[in-house]
């Protein structure tokens, strides 16, 4: 099956070395692959990808991908406020009251 693949920041050089497009190019993989399996197939350790968006929505790594999905991978180190805004990390009540 084919997916549209995007990767950000520190994930890009690794994909570039493998001649894998990371700006929305099509990526072919097996049917029924999960985000976690995709991350491994791309050669990343699980902790190298903090968040994944599928069709513009944050999803768990256990999410099963389908033909035509748009996948965007986000590395750790994304600024804290962006991580909250993107839904990668939930804020605590203390943060909400500041």
């Amino acid at each position: 099956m084919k997916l549209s693949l995007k990767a950000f920041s520190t994930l890009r050089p690794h994909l570039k070395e493998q001649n894998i497009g990371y700006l929305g190019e099509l990526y072919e993989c097996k049917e029924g692959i999960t985000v976690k399996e995709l991350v491994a197939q791309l050669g990343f350790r699980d902790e190298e990808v903090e968040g994944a968006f599928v069709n513009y929505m944050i999803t768990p790594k256990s999410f099963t991908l389908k033909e035509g999905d748009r996948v965007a991978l986000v590395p750790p180190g994304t600024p804290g406020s962006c991580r909250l805004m993107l839904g990668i990390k939930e804020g605590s009540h203390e943060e909400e009251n500041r």
Side-chain angles (χ1 to χ4, degrees):
M1 80 179 168
K2 292 182 182 176
L3 309 168
S4 171
L5 179 64
K6 286 189 178 184
F8 296 93
S9 186
T10 58
L11 301 177
R12 289 180 172 183
H14 174 78
L15 295 176
K16 187 174 182 176
E17 287 174 5
Q18 299 180 73
N19 293 318
I20 297 173
Y22 52 81
L23 295 174
E25 288 86 352
L26 292 180
Y27 179 77
E28 194 157 344
C29 59
K30 68 178 183 167
E31 292 273 336
I33 193 171
T34 64
V35 171
K36 185 173 184 156
E37 291 168 328
L38 175 65
V39 166
Q41 183 175 316
L42 292 170
F44 295 112
R45 293 184 318 274
D46 190 51
E47 62 272 9
E48 290 180 284
V49 176
E50 181 175 29
F53 291 83
V54 177
N55 302 322
Y56 308 106
M57 307 243 345
I58 191 74
T59 59
K61 290 181 183 172
S62 61
F63 185 84
T64 301
L65 300 166
K66 298 181 292 302
E67 175 76 30
D69 278 345
R70 295 175 180 197
V71 180
L73 303 175
V74 180
T78 301
S81 59
C82 293
R83 290 169 51 222
L84 288 170
M85 184 177 70
L86 294 171
I88 295 171
K89 181 176 178 173
E90 293 182 22
S92 71
H93 293 293
E94 288 179 61
E95 290 171 326
E96 292 171 354
N97 292 328
R98 288 185 186 175

